Amino acid sequence: MTDTKKSQHGEWSSRFAFILAATGSAVGLGNIWKFPYITGENGGGAFVIVYLLCVLLIGIPIMMAETMLGRRSRQNPINTMITLVDEAGADKNWHYLGWMGVAAGFLILSYYSVIAGWASAYVLKAFTGSFFGADAAAIKVIFDDFVASPAKLLFWHSLFMLATMLIVVRGVNTGLEKAVRFLMPSLFVLLILMVAYAMTTDTYDQGVKFLFTPDFSKLTGNGVLTAMGHAFFTLSLGMGAIMVYGSYLPKDVSISKTVFLIAGTDTVVALLAGIAIFPIVFASGLEPAAGPGLIFQTLPIAFGNMTGGWFFGILFFVMLVFAALSSSISLIEPAVAWLVENKDMSREQACIWSGSITWLLGFGTIFSFNVWSEFKIFDRTIFQLLDYLTANLMLPIGGFCIAVFAGWIMKQQYTEHELDMPNALSYQAWQILIRYVAPAAVFLVFLHVVGVL
Ligand code: PFF
């Protein structure tokens, strides 16, 4: 493989463009919608510590590995695995890794788009003043009524999928890059504003304490798995999204520095969301374990009662939709890149195919909140099952394989060359993490969940 190899889809115009796109992929519903509610369900502080440790010891080294694999091969994740397996003379079964990633992308996007649809609907609710002066009970009624309607959820899911496809159709430079350029900074500013509001509540200390004071007796084996799974989910790891973005990364960019920046931003955004939300949860007497509706039942109370709440409410949900869009485009990009490279499709055709499949799969999640809410497989609704299967199983398994491949199968001279670390010591640290720490940690968490440990 030569250093002059280029992706047929184009390249990011700069390091900054990659940072924006990869941060756009990482920062999304996972940080603002999912992190607070799973933290609430798993008892707070102890869960947050496990999550932070997983980001540092497993997420960051694997993110470097995934970016590196993509940049080396400059193709979609499936072809990346085929090319690199060939180059290393490794077993062909490694090819399945790329396939599993594409499958995980479809499954995640199918429910991600439904929840992003909720956020879109809340833009309209904020605009029409639905939250004005409302208390916790009224806001709960608004949420419950909304998710009880399959037609409404379908409408917003369809709209969100359409928006995703329209951006992805335009390709790397025009579509993806332009979209994320102004989204990320604005979201950040708005979150700070929400934190400022949370500081004005009497329960600010209680909220912060809940997030940062660990009580390990509240953390179950499944909680540990959820924390680890979320580290993968929030950093977009284990399914090829970061790999495919890495394949558009110019050669002269330092992978390690870039990855630290992206993972750092992602973590800060999640923590800010937590700090903004939990004081409101306690102030309004809500349950931290309220589940997927948590932010939709808390933040509107703040918007309904603060000065300028109408404006900030609209702005917040618009930003949330944009954050979701910059993630959803990365969930579908591996499949689209594969269809274009291998099936001779145009980007339009590839988007229509993959978008339609995801849209159809979304029905399972839509019905999980209403007509099929009692229909359970392994004690879970379809939405919960999809979430568990992807975030807790497919992404960690994918990440485990990426770690083993980058640490043990790929030739050291290639990884060293691609990563181009500032010094030998940092390369060695990465090698220890990717070879031993990350795979062992994933494995031990799995053993713990099945009860062997
Ligand atoms: N990281 C995104 C979030 O936190 O919302 C979700 C996601 C995007 C997961 C892309 C996986 C992925 F490949």
Side-chain angles (χ1 to χ4, degrees):
M1 203 153 318
T2 65
D3 276 3
T4 50
K5 199 164 173 156
K6 283 243 163 39
S7 164
Q8 74 178 77
H9 307 275
E11 245 185 30
W12 304 114
S13 57
S14 63
R15 167 172 182 256
F16 185 59
F18 171 76
I19 292 176
L20 279 178
T23 313
S25 166
V27 175
L29 295 175
N31 307 60
I32 294 164
W33 159 75
K34 194 173 180 193
F35 172 72
Y37 95 74
I38 56 176
T39 300
E41 284 179 339
N42 289 287
F47 176 87
V48 175
I49 289 195
V50 176
Y51 153 74
L52 291 175
L53 279 177
C54 289
V55 167
L56 198 66
L57 299 177
I58 308 175
I60 289 177
I62 291 184
M63 197 175 204
M64 287 168 60
E66 213 178 308
T67 314
M68 170 188 81
L69 297 185
R71 185 169 69 176
R72 182 152 187 85
S73 112
R74 296 229 173 270
Q75 300 163 79
N76 67 73
I78 294 175
N79 289 10
T80 291
M81 287 320 294
I82 295 176
T83 312
L84 297 181
V85 160
D86 239 23
E87 182 183 74
D91 191 292
K92 299 259 181 295
N93 280 319
W94 280 103
H95 295 177
Y96 291 115
L97 184 55
W99 285 105
M100 187 174 71
V102 169
F106 277 119
L107 296 178
I108 296 176
L109 188 53
S110 79
Y111 70 82
Y112 202 85
S113 162
V114 175
I115 310 293
W118 296 4
S120 321
Y122 268 60
V123 173
L124 192 64
K125 287 189 196 305
F127 183 76
T128 54
S130 309
F131 312 141
F132 188 68
D135 59 5
I139 295 289
K140 186 170 170 6
V141 171
I142 293 178
F143 178 74
D144 290 344
D145 280 354
F146 173 62
V147 294
S149 162
K152 284 185 189 154
L153 300 196
L154 178 61
F155 172 77
W156 292 103
H157 162 61
S158 310
L159 207 64
F160 185 82
M161 273 313 301
L162 206 66
T164 301
M165 285 153 73
L166 284 176
I167 299 181
V168 176
V169 148
R170 304 186 63 195
V172 174
N173 296 110
T174 39
L176 310 190
E177 198 173 316
K178 285 223 175 77
V180 287
R181 205 168 259 274
F182 76 103
L183 301 179
M184 284 304 108
S186 349
L187 180 72
F188 206 76
V189 173
L190 217 67
L191 266 177
I192 305 257
L193 195 95
M194 294 308 296
V195 170
Y197 174 82
M199 280 178 170
T200 66
T201 62
D202 298 338
T203 42
Y204 180 70
D205 289 347
Q206 194 185 349
V208 171
K209 203 164 154 224
F210 177 79
L211 263 181
F212 295 112
T213 313
D215 175 358
F216 280 94
S217 67
K218 288 192 185 150
L219 195 62
T220 61
N222 242 318
V224 175
L225 176 64
T226 306
M228 181 183 76
H230 189 63
F232 284 97
F233 184 88
T234 191
L235 294 175
S236 307
L237 298 178
M239 58 140 283
I242 290 296
M243 202 184 283
V244 82
Y245 276 11
S247 76
Y248 310 143
L249 183 65
K251 269 290 162 210
D252 49 357
V253 171
S254 156
I255 290 182
S256 57
K257 276 192 220 140
T258 312
V259 162
F260 268 99
L261 197 69
I262 296 165
T265 311
D266 185 78
T267 310
V268 170
V269 170
L271 295 178
L272 283 178
I275 299 173
I277 284 157
F278 283 106
I280 306 175
V281 170
F282 294 117
S284 48
L286 279 166
E287 254 313 299
L294 190 69
I295 66 159
F296 297 97
Q297 294 176 32
T298 48
L299 295 181
I301 306 176
F303 297 131
N305 294 286
M306 71 200 229
T307 2
W310 177 78
F311 176 70
F312 292 131
I314 300 173
L315 208 60
F316 179 83
F317 285 111
V318 167
M319 288 299 130
L320 188 58
V321 173
F322 277 128
L325 266 176
S326 62
S327 301
S328 67
I329 54 185
S330 75
L331 280 159
I332 209 169
E333 180 67 17
V336 169
W338 179 76
L339 288 171
V340 172
E341 284 168 29
N342 294 40
K343 295 288 154 199
D344 240 6
M345 285 192 190
S346 64
R347 260 192 102 82
E348 286 81 4
Q349 290 168 319
C351 283
I352 290 172
W353 270 105
S354 32
S356 309
I357 293 172
T358 326
W359 177 77
L360 268 179
L361 284 172
F363 280 76
T365 295
I366 291 177
F367 294 150
S368 298
F369 291 95
N370 35 67
V371 284
W372 288 350
S373 60
E374 296 309 316
F375 174 67
K376 307 243 165 109
I377 307 169
F378 297 119
D379 216 21
R380 289 182 167 86
T381 61
I382 295 183
F383 158 69
Q384 288 168 332
L385 196 71
L386 282 174
D387 178 36
Y388 193 89
L389 185 73
T390 51
N392 292 9
L393 300 178
M394 290 171 96
L395 299 187
I397 293 172
F400 175 90
C401 296
I402 288 168
V404 171
F405 189 81
W408 296 97
I409 312 281
M410 241 174 119
K411 286 208 177 68
Q412 190 169 324
Q413 81 201 68
Y414 295 152
T415 56
E416 210 169 349
H417 170 72
E418 284 291 340
L419 286 176
D420 193 20
M421 299 282 228
N423 51 48
L425 198 69
S426 45
Y427 177 73
Q428 271 164 10
W430 174 81
Q431 232 186 3
I432 292 171
L433 289 171
I434 207 77
R435 283 190 156 183
Y436 304 102
V437 179
V442 175
F443 194 62
L444 292 178
V445 172
F446 279 141
L447 287 185
H448 185 54
V449 171
V450 295
V452 177
L453 264 181

